[in-house]
Amino acid sequence: MNKILRVNTRTGQIHATTCSEAQQHWGGRSYIAHHLLAEVDPVCEPLGRKNCLIVASGLLADTAVTTAGRLSLGGKSPLTGGVKEANVGGEAGRKMARLGLKAVVLEDAPEKPGPRILLVGQNGAELLDAPELGGKETSPTLAALRQRFGERIGALCIGPAGEMRLPAAAVATTDSSGVQLRVAGRGGLGAVMGAKGIKAIVFDAAEARQVKAADSKALAAAARELGKILLDAPKTANRHNYGTPAVLALCDTLGILPTRNFREGRFEQAEAISGEMIAELIDRRGGEGRRGLPCVQGCIIACSNIFADPSGKTTVASLQYENIGLLGSNCGIGDIDAIAGLNHLANQVGIDAIEGGAAVGVAMEAGLLPFGDAAGAQDLLRQVGQGTALGRIIGSGVATAGRVLGVRRIPATKGQAMPAYDPRSLKGIGVTYAMSPMGADHTAGNALETARGHDPLSREGQVEISLRLQIRAAILDSLGVCLFIRPAFVKNPELAARLLNARHGWQWTYRDVRAMGLECLRAEREFNRQAGLDESREDVPEFMRSEPLPPHNTVFDVDREEMRRIWEIQLPEDVF
Amino acid sequence: MNKILRVNTRTGQIHATTCSEAQQHWGGRSYIAHHLLAEVDPVCEPLGRKNCLIVASGLLADTAVTTAGRLSLGGKSPLTGGVKEANVGGEAGRKMARLGLKAVVLEDAPEKPGPRILLVGQNGAELLDAPELGGKETSPTLAALRQRFGERIGALCIGPAGEMRLPAAAVATTDSSGVQLRVAGRGGLGAVMGAKGIKAIVFDAAEARQVKAADSKALAAAARELGKILLDAPKTANRHNYGTPAVLALCDTLGILPTRNFREGRFEQAEAISGEMIAELIDRRGGEGRRGLPCVQGCIIACSNIFADPSGKTTVASLQYENIGLLGSNCGIGDIDAIAGLNHLANQVGIDAIEGGAAVGVAMEAGLLPFGDAAGAQDLLRQVGQGTALGRIIGSGVATAGRVLGVRRIPATKGQAMPAYDPRSLKGIGVTYAMSPMGADHTAGNALETARGHDPLSREGQVEISLRLQIRAAILDSLGVCLFIRPAFVKNPELAARLLNARHGWQWTYRDVRAMGLECLRAEREFNRQAGLDESREDVPEFMRSEPLPPHNTVFDVDREEMRRIWEIQLPEDVF
């Protein structure tokens, strides 16, 4: 896993290099951070020739460690103008790692981007013209790739939104069965891929073998220990049973469920869109519906689902909390079948469902359609794929949509839509939205997990909470594992070091792991600083500081000066 | 002229204050710079409650000094996110000054902006609901105001674009006859006015008298001297005869006339849209057409025109070079009647014709309509006023339009469209576009005037040229005079001080005048710095550094590091 494949999308030249000593210690998100800082001009235009799209394996990719195999995509974001890493489950990460690849880097940009496939195999890589894939939705694209290159490939692709270089465009992949569509949604990296003229990346590892670990026995032992802690953790069973929608009822109770463009924090139809209801419907309807599925082979949490319509036919897989929040309650829509249909459509046209849901929300606020109008929302998302003027507005993300449609209440920080946690009543996540190099991204440090132990309405201590969560996220995203395995490292931080040492033959302690996470954040912040994302961008939108959020009638009131000092806080070095 | 009128557009409270000793020395642009830095949170949302719209008189307003009476509008720009001053001729500046007003400041913002009139008279000011003006175009609005409040008012208004808070919205006014529509176009200040819910500001100075100068005789003598130098200057007659379109042929020759979205610097139909042709058509067609008109009463240059159609009926007044360049050659349109019609339409819906023309150009580049399609362009501008999705995209300005429409070649710096001077072959103006606190704005320092003395294709010396021009512009914009009177101050810098001393009773030398200009620029840069417009925003778009511009096949190659040191350059202190 020491190869870096560089593809010049203008000249078509492809060459592989072996990564340096330093690069060997980076993976996933940390690889992206350091690569961008070292090689990409921070002031470059995100969709121009100087940006690159990086696909990076995690440090534990293609091992038996549960959830390992998530893959990171990165580049300068067309939404935030800063560094972006978006990671995703599915099979592509494992396949990429099995080919010995630390990273694939798409460089430069063709004069006229057209649909091409980057095919990466055991014996090299090539660019294939693929006019037949032009304008195709994501699932048909991935199905066509599996048909052409075999079912054992791992593939990434963009939908029509990415080809149109719409700033909210996402990158999609599947699980090993090809049923679940998994999406690296945030930050508009699908537009960066589209600007490179790459419709799909295919990893064909059929002939390749799993890389041997430095100490296979130690790795297996540590992986087992991790699994055991996880299975004992109280949240794991809940996640397995109800998936991410398990938190919807909690978020509604806490008053942080975005409702009607973040006007309210509770939704009167919350029950109808809750995790419990989804599970009940899946079980009752039968047919293709499933729950408790893994997205990455071998994951023991297995929190994914296939959501089927009343006739048992798949609507979308997997249906996740954040998408329900943004496409559902945030649009005033309480019909879970309609929400699942919207999610499917966002996936197919290839935009981030969070960004798309938020943009539909501001279109509703602008009066283009009423809150609750599921058919109208469906029409808007369909238009994204068609590239109509209105569709392009929605596909440009919530900040641009709000600007064009003349809406003052825009739920975004650094140009990126907020996920389904209103920061006015979950203040720790507001600090993350404001301060994370990633912009408004719950996966960068979600304070929901602290809500039971620390009053989420209080502004006290939230900055420190955010910092701890941000470091955690940077570590997990660099290992290429799911955020949901954090209970294992909270209980035993050294386990993270043992896994890495067994895999790579290093001599790390947890402090080294933590230093890697901090270095990742530092590199990201430095890139952003040079890109011009300075203190002026580090806050929640104005309305969240002045407009009280029902039911708690709270505003976001964490002091800006206190937030700015976040990076000076010293946390204990042996705590995850 | 020492009164500052503050209008809280949320509460409706209005109060006047007398300006401080320091404020007395600021006018127009310098007043705006200092006010914004002192009172407006630089990170505020431009269309939110914390921004303000400032209308400021120049320091020589309501005197007999030729061209004096230009009025400055300012605020945080929804296009650039930084400081913006846009100034405009017409009668409103004089009327405002006659009421003793240094500035009118619209503060806060109503929950639901609706059309109101701010009526300012000799005995106070009031806000009047004006639902009948809602959605009205600019000329009918101004005509309705003249009908209601009398023909001697000075009035400012926005069109439907401003009411919709579209980021390219402008503020319009008229000359004393009500025939010419004059536009404070740049920076989207019409959207800021719209966000305040103010459709129009009316200055009724019928009962007021001209303020007495500290030394009327000295003022008259200095004003006469200024007039004499101007009348002797070789350019003045040319401007009088052909107006700003006089430079079109020169710009075509220099290869800097934007053509087909800045793909070329010469336009094959340049002759048909030149100043000479316009003059010929005006003379030949007769009817309402005129040339050599003043926009401000008493201006001796009188470079404005009324452009009439073949039947002699007014199409637009006044028809200016930059608008011809952007709506004409930049859109591949060589029919001057069509261009005049487009300019009229942009004025009426109330968007900046430069920004609008540039946005239509990128829509053409995106393939929505072919270059040269005047009817299609007309339709797009009409849609701006109608608020269709596509119209809103165009009305959001070129940067947003390019982003939404997936165009890589966007001729803008700091989010604002470039006026009709391609910086690849007029490098001094490229430095201004990149470095001026105003973004891409020719009035902030136009190197065209140096093109004869200093090779515009050379990168040498352009940074110094830009600095000199930027200081000049800051001075002239603070005095409230036209940039075209600069020959007088170039010949005799002390004349500027004499005018101010005679008007205000000061004891300034030219060095004090210059210090005021530098202080204005410093305040603007400091506001921008705090607003987050740092070095990362200080460059021309990428394509201009890599794509050669025919016919000279030049790229913009002034060194970024050299540009960044612009403010360290020491220029002689006695030179204008």
Side-chain angles (χ1 to χ4, degrees):
Chain A
M1 239 186 60
N2 285 333
K3 248 183 354 195
I4 296 167
L5 191 73
R6 289 168 184 270
V7 181
N8 185 310
T9 59
R10 195 174 191 90
T11 63
Q13 283 181 316
I14 299 175
H15 72 283
T17 57
T18 303
C19 64
S20 68
E21 169 74 23
Q23 286 172 325
Q24 287 179 28
H25 292 83
W26 306 335
R29 177 169 166 184
S30 61
Y31 180 85
I32 287 165
H34 292 289
H35 183 106
L36 284 177
L37 186 60
E39 298 199 16
V40 172
D41 181 357
V43 304
C44 74
E45 294 169 7
L47 304 181
R49 296 180 57 183
K50 296 181 184 175
N51 197 7
C52 65
L53 184 81
I54 305 167
V55 189
S57 312
L59 286 167
L60 294 177
D62 198 24
T63 64
V65 178
T66 191
T67 82
R70 293 183 72 83
L71 158 158
S72 290
L73 285 116
K76 175 165 169 165
S77 162
L79 285 176
T80 69
V83 61
K84 194 73 196 92
E85 183 263 2
N87 64 67
V88 64
E91 265 302 289
R94 181 182 302 273
K95 295 288 155 60
M96 174 179 167
R98 189 154 293 191
L99 291 168
L101 290 165
K102 166 81 72 181
V104 174
V105 187
L106 305 182
E107 300 178 328
D108 210 329
E111 188 60 40
K112 285 186 193 284
R116 290 199 286 183
I117 297 166
L118 172 65
L119 176 64
V120 189
Q122 177 78 340
N123 299 313
E126 55 186 323
L127 285 167
L128 309 171
D129 285 327
E132 73 283 4
L133 296 182
K136 229 189 228 323
E137 296 192 330
T138 53
S139 285
T141 299
L142 292 163
L145 295 171
R146 288 168 70 95
Q147 189 160 26
R148 176 167 174 189
F149 300 105
E151 305 234 318
R152 292 169 64 197
I153 60 167
L156 301 166
C157 82
I158 55 175
E163 290 181 64
M164 287 186 264
R165 302 184 288 290
L166 293 177
V171 178
T173 184
T174 63
D175 65 343
S176 60
S177 70
V179 171
Q180 281 183 57
L181 195 86
R182 310 296 310 189
V183 182
R186 308 312 315 274
L189 296 171
V192 180
M193 191 158 154
K196 307 299 181 202
I198 302 296
K199 174 74 177 176
I201 302 174
V202 174
F203 298 107
D204 181 354
E207 307 295 313
R209 294 207 182 165
Q210 187 175 26
V211 186
K212 260 187 90 77
D215 184 341
S216 309
K217 270 196 193 165
L219 184 60
R224 264 196 311 276
E225 189 172 332
L226 169 68
K228 186 167 173 354
I229 301 177
L230 268 186
L231 289 177
D232 290 346
K235 280 185 189 163
T236 300
N238 185 262
R239 289 196 171 113
H240 177 72
N241 287 327
Y242 301 108
T244 57
V247 303
L248 194 139
L250 172 62
C251 290
D252 191 60
T253 305
L254 291 172
I256 59 171
L257 177 66
T259 301
R260 286 175 279 270
N261 192 34
F262 286 78
R263 282 202 180 269
E264 297 145 81
R266 272 193 198 147
F267 185 43
E268 65 282 3
Q269 302 176 70
E271 211 182 307
I273 61 174
S274 66
E276 293 75 5
M277 180 61 75
I278 291 169
E280 191 191 316
L281 288 174
I282 289 174
D283 294 350
R284 196 200 310 156
R285 290 171 175 180
E288 294 170 359
R290 294 280 183 282
R291 55 194 179 102
L293 298 176
C295 76
V296 173
Q297 266 192 63
C299 168
I300 57 172
I301 305 172
C303 70
S304 296
N305 61 48
I306 301 174
F307 186 80
D309 66 16
S311 76
K313 207 172 156 298
T314 302
T315 306
V316 70
S318 169
L319 184 56
Q320 310 268 357
Y321 167 64
E322 287 77 15
N323 300 353
I324 299 170
L326 271 297
L327 291 164
S329 51
N330 188 54
C331 295
I333 298 172
D335 173 345
I336 191 68
D337 284 293
I339 296 167
L342 292 171
N343 196 348
H344 170 72
L345 196 48
N347 290 351
Q348 292 307 311
V349 302
I351 58 164
D352 177 22
I354 293 174
E355 198 70 44
V360 172
V362 303
M364 288 172 165
E365 169 124 0
L368 265 66
L369 69 173
F371 283 107
D373 180 1
Q378 186 94 7
D379 179 55
L380 284 186
L381 294 181
R382 201 174 290 121
Q383 289 193 47
V384 175
Q386 295 163 343
T388 66
L390 191 50
R392 283 181 169 277
I393 292 170
I394 300 296
S396 296
V398 70
T400 297
R403 175 184 174 85
V404 172
L405 299 175
V407 170
R408 191 182 287 164
R409 302 175 66 266
I410 303 178
T413 62
K414 298 196 176 78
Q416 186 173 256
M418 286 187 184
Y421 310 87
D422 195 309
R424 285 170 285 185
S425 293
L426 181 63
K427 291 179 181 169
I429 204 168
V431 179
T432 299
Y433 292 163
M435 301 306 299
S436 161
M438 295 293 153
D441 187 337
H442 61 291
T443 69
N446 189 350
L448 183 65
E449 67 177 286
T450 66
R452 280 179 219 268
H454 190 103
D455 182 4
L457 301 177
S458 161
R459 65 179 170 190
E460 304 301 327
Q462 302 291 0
V463 178
E464 186 175 321
I465 282 175
S466 172
L467 175 61
R468 200 174 69 232
L469 296 169
Q470 287 193 57
I471 298 171
R472 276 189 199 175
I475 294 171
L476 295 167
D477 293 344
S478 300
L479 267 51
V481 293
C482 179
L483 291 173
F484 287 170
I485 73 164
R486 60 181 177 259
F489 298 152
V490 170
K491 182 159 185 194
N492 182 1
E494 290 301 336
L495 195 51
R498 278 172 51 203
L499 289 165
L500 289 169
N501 293 343
R503 167 67 184 81
H504 295 286
W506 300 341
Q507 309 290 326
W508 277 17
T509 66
Y510 172 65
R511 291 191 180 209
D512 299 302
V513 178
R514 191 169 176 279
M516 176 198 63
L518 281 170
E519 263 304 289
C520 171
L521 286 164
R522 193 202 55 76
E524 291 171 344
R525 283 160 43 214
E526 178 57 20
F527 183 87
N528 278 5
R529 188 190 67 75
Q530 292 181 31
L533 271 76
D534 64 3
E535 293 183 345
S536 69
R537 308 282 299 276
E538 295 178 341
D539 203 359
V540 300
E542 270 175 36
F543 79 90
M544 290 188 168
R545 285 195 175 270
S546 61
E547 185 190 297
L549 176 73
H552 298 301
N553 297 316
T554 39
V555 296
F556 185 77
D557 57 358
V558 181
D559 186 60
R560 279 184 66 186
E561 282 308 316
E562 191 193 345
M563 292 202 295
R564 285 177 182 170
R565 290 192 300 270
I566 186 171
W567 311 111
E568 297 160 22
I569 296 173
Q570 297 296 324
L571 295 176
E573 291 185 13
D574 51 357
V575 173
F576 180 73
Chain B
M1 239 186 61
N2 284 333
K3 247 184 356 197
I4 296 167
L5 191 73
R6 291 169 183 270
V7 181
N8 185 309
T9 60
R10 196 174 189 89
T11 64
Q13 283 182 315
I14 299 176
H15 71 282
T17 57
T18 304
C19 63
S20 68
E21 169 75 24
Q23 286 172 324
Q24 287 179 28
H25 293 83
W26 306 335
R29 177 169 166 184
S30 61
Y31 180 85
I32 287 165
H34 292 289
H35 184 105
L36 284 177
L37 186 59
E39 297 199 16
V40 173
D41 182 357
V43 304
C44 75
E45 295 168 6
L47 304 180
R49 296 180 57 183
K50 295 180 182 174
N51 197 7
C52 66
L53 184 82
I54 305 166
V55 189
S57 312
L59 286 167
L60 295 176
D62 198 25
T63 64
V65 178
T66 191
T67 82
R70 292 184 72 82
L71 156 157
S72 290
L73 285 117
K76 175 164 170 165
S77 164
L79 285 176
T80 69
V83 60
K84 194 73 197 90
E85 183 263 3
N87 65 67
V88 64
E91 266 300 290
R94 182 182 303 272
K95 295 288 157 59
M96 175 179 165
R98 191 154 292 189
L99 290 168
L101 291 166
K102 165 83 70 180
V104 174
V105 187
L106 305 183
E107 299 178 328
D108 210 330
E111 189 61 40
K112 287 189 191 282
R116 291 199 285 182
I117 298 166
L118 173 64
L119 175 64
V120 190
Q122 178 79 341
N123 300 312
E126 55 186 322
L127 285 167
L128 308 171
D129 285 325
E132 72 283 4
L133 297 181
K136 230 189 226 323
E137 296 192 331
T138 53
S139 285
T141 299
L142 292 163
L145 294 171
R146 288 168 71 93
Q147 191 163 25
R148 177 167 173 189
F149 300 106
E151 304 233 319
R152 291 169 65 198
I153 60 166
L156 301 165
C157 82
I158 54 175
E163 289 181 66
M164 287 186 265
R165 302 182 290 288
L166 293 176
V171 178
T173 184
T174 65
D175 65 342
S176 59
S177 70
V179 173
Q180 281 182 56
L181 195 86
R182 311 296 311 187
V183 182
R186 308 312 314 275
L189 296 171
V192 180
M193 191 158 152
K196 307 299 181 201
I198 303 296
K199 174 74 177 176
I201 302 175
V202 173
F203 298 107
D204 181 355
E207 307 296 313
R209 294 207 182 164
Q210 188 175 24
V211 186
K212 261 185 91 74
D215 184 342
S216 308
K217 271 193 190 167
L219 183 60
R224 266 196 310 276
E225 189 172 329
L226 169 67
K228 187 170 174 344
I229 302 176
L230 267 187
L231 289 176
D232 290 345
K235 279 186 190 162
T236 301
N238 185 263
R239 288 196 170 112
H240 177 71
N241 288 327
Y242 303 107
T244 58
V247 302
L248 194 140
L250 171 64
C251 290
D252 191 60
T253 305
L254 291 173
I256 60 171
L257 177 66
T259 301
R260 285 175 280 270
N261 193 32
F262 287 77
R263 284 203 179 267
E264 297 146 84
R266 272 191 197 148
F267 184 45
E268 64 282 1
Q269 301 176 71
E271 212 182 307
I273 62 174
S274 66
E276 293 76 4
M277 180 61 74
I278 291 169
E280 192 192 315
L281 289 173
I282 289 174
D283 294 351
R284 198 201 307 157
R285 291 173 173 179
E288 294 169 0
R290 293 282 183 283
R291 57 194 179 99
L293 298 176
C295 76
V296 173
Q297 265 192 63
C299 168
I300 58 173
I301 306 172
C303 70
S304 295
N305 60 49
I306 300 173
F307 185 80
D309 67 16
S311 76
K313 208 171 155 300
T314 302
T315 305
V316 70
S318 171
L319 184 56
Q320 309 270 357
Y321 167 65
E322 287 76 16
N323 300 353
I324 298 171
L326 271 297
L327 290 163
S329 51
N330 188 55
C331 295
I333 298 171
D335 174 345
I336 191 68
D337 284 296
I339 296 167
L342 291 171
N343 196 350
H344 169 72
L345 196 47
N347 290 351
Q348 292 308 310
V349 301
I351 58 164
D352 176 22
I354 294 174
E355 198 70 44
V360 172
V362 302
M364 288 171 164
E365 170 125 358
L368 264 66
L369 69 173
F371 283 107
D373 180 0
Q378 187 93 7
D379 178 55
L380 285 186
L381 294 181
R382 202 174 290 121
Q383 289 192 46
V384 175
Q386 294 163 344
T388 66
L390 191 50
R392 284 181 169 277
I393 291 171
I394 300 297
S396 295
V398 70
T400 297
R403 174 184 174 84
V404 173
L405 299 175
V407 170
R408 190 181 287 164
R409 302 175 66 267
I410 303 178
T413 60
K414 296 195 179 78
Q416 185 172 257
M418 285 188 184
Y421 310 88
D422 196 308
R424 284 169 287 185
S425 293
L426 181 63
K427 291 179 181 169
I429 204 167
V431 179
T432 299
Y433 292 164
M435 302 306 299
S436 162
M438 295 293 154
D441 188 335
H442 61 291
T443 68
N446 189 351
L448 183 67
E449 67 176 285
T450 66
R452 281 179 218 270
H454 189 101
D455 181 4
L457 301 177
S458 161
R459 67 179 169 188
E460 304 301 326
Q462 302 292 0
V463 178
E464 186 174 321
I465 282 175
S466 172
L467 176 62
R468 202 173 69 234
L469 296 168
Q470 287 193 57
I471 297 171
R472 277 189 197 174
I475 294 171
L476 295 167
D477 293 344
S478 300
L479 267 51
V481 293
C482 179
L483 292 173
F484 288 171
I485 73 164
R486 60 181 177 258
F489 298 153
V490 170
K491 183 158 183 193
N492 182 0
E494 289 301 333
L495 194 51
R498 279 171 51 203
L499 289 164
L500 289 169
N501 293 343
R503 166 66 185 83
H504 295 286
W506 300 342
Q507 309 289 326
W508 278 17
T509 65
Y510 172 66
R511 293 193 178 207
D512 299 303
V513 178
R514 192 170 175 279
M516 177 199 62
L518 281 169
E519 262 304 290
C520 171
L521 286 164
R522 192 203 55 75
E524 290 171 345
R525 284 159 44 216
E526 177 57 21
F527 183 86
N528 278 5
R529 189 190 66 74
Q530 293 181 31
L533 271 77
D534 65 4
E535 293 182 345
S536 69
R537 308 285 297 278
E538 295 178 340
D539 203 358
V540 300
E542 269 175 37
F543 79 90
M544 290 188 167
R545 284 196 175 269
S546 61
E547 184 190 296
L549 176 74
H552 297 302
N553 297 316
T554 39
V555 296
F556 185 77
D557 58 358
V558 181
D559 187 60
R560 279 184 67 188
E561 282 308 316
E562 191 193 345
M563 291 203 295
R564 285 177 182 172
R565 291 193 298 271
I566 185 170
W567 310 111
E568 297 160 22
I569 296 173
Q570 297 296 324
L571 296 176
E573 289 186 13
D574 51 358
V575 173
F576 181 71

